[in-house]
Amino acid sequence: MNNYCLLFLTALFFACSEKSNDEIYQGKLEELIVGDLIIKKDSLTKGIEVRQVINHEGHDYVVSLADRERTIQYYSIHSGDKVKEVKLPFDGPNGFRGYVGMLIAEGMDSLTLISLDGWYYFYYKNQREKVEQIDSRLEFPNSYYSSIYYDRRKNFTKVSKSLYQIAVSPLIRPVSNFSGKTKAFDKIEKWMINYYPQENKASTQTIPFPSGYRLDFLEDHLSYPPIVEFVGNRNYVLFPYSDSVFVLSDYNVIEKKVLRSQMDFNFSGSETVVREEYGFLELKKDASSHLDLLYDTYRDVFIRISKIKESGNGETTRERAKHYLVSVFDSDLNTLSEYTIEYGQGSRLENYFIASEGLFINKPEQTSEDEYEFYKIDLSRFAD
């Protein structure tokens, strides 16, 4: 009997030790802050909206949209200075109709753009070389405008010279006649558009909902579209209210991974908030949501950015503090560590990007109208 007890206690000891060693480190993001980046704005630039980071001749540059999304600006990450600006004309041989919804910059001279109305443009050295309307039978303008309306920025990927991948939301009506109800048609899971500009052809692709997700959250318009990160010919798909990542190859699910965390997320969804004559969808005060999934090519890790909850007595999200979690995963999506950061009343985590020097996120307080400031986060400890 004593031998059995000794065996039980020994097994229990090793089990507890394994659990302790397997715990995920959770700290403050300030532990990783090693500096800052100050973007210098001119008097005509009201805000900074980071859409991409490019590396040109060995130097990193932020690509930002300004002027009601018709001006593309390039800022040096080294100095914070604006080094180039492209203003899109409305008319003429280089004209651009509407406003920029998606963009891909390659170097300083090449720009691929898609307007909010679903038109594809290609510019080289400020000269328009191609313009096509993406297949309207896909209801692209409705789908895409809805996607932009709900702050899904990273939804345009160049897979190859002849193929672009576009993440959309087919469930929501366009803003012009938004009614708060989902569409009733058969493309409910057609989250992706494959666009072939050389042939001007497009097709839709299906991404499945996580188990039970459709039943629980279909009527919640902040629960989609999914976040899609394209890495090494695979799509990594994360829905805002799910801890599972689908790994897709040729749009077939080859792996499903639950991302481990020390945080207890509360996926209680959104609510409609009425201000004067306008209605807005906002996450509930105690609600959690995953905001983005980024791949860091320099250190071969994934970064997930999540909103944990809000706090304070304010009636709207703007009047309350926001609590976020930045989680770091290895290339196999195993959790390495996670860090919290808080943004006070009137501020939010709105701009972030990965560059060769690390992760950059906007500071909670922007003290000058002539500058826009980022924290520089050192991720070198996670590199293999």
Side-chain angles (χ1 to χ4, degrees), residues 1 47 319:
M1 184 70 176
E319 299 166 329

Side-chain angles (χ1 to χ4, degrees), residues 39-40 45 48 61-62 64 73-77 80-82:
I39 297 292
K40 301 163 188 173
T45 301
I48 296 294
Y61 298 89
V62 167
S64 175
Q73 299 174 329
Y74 298 73
Y75 293 91
S76 166
I77 291 180
D81 293 326
K82 183 170 66 177

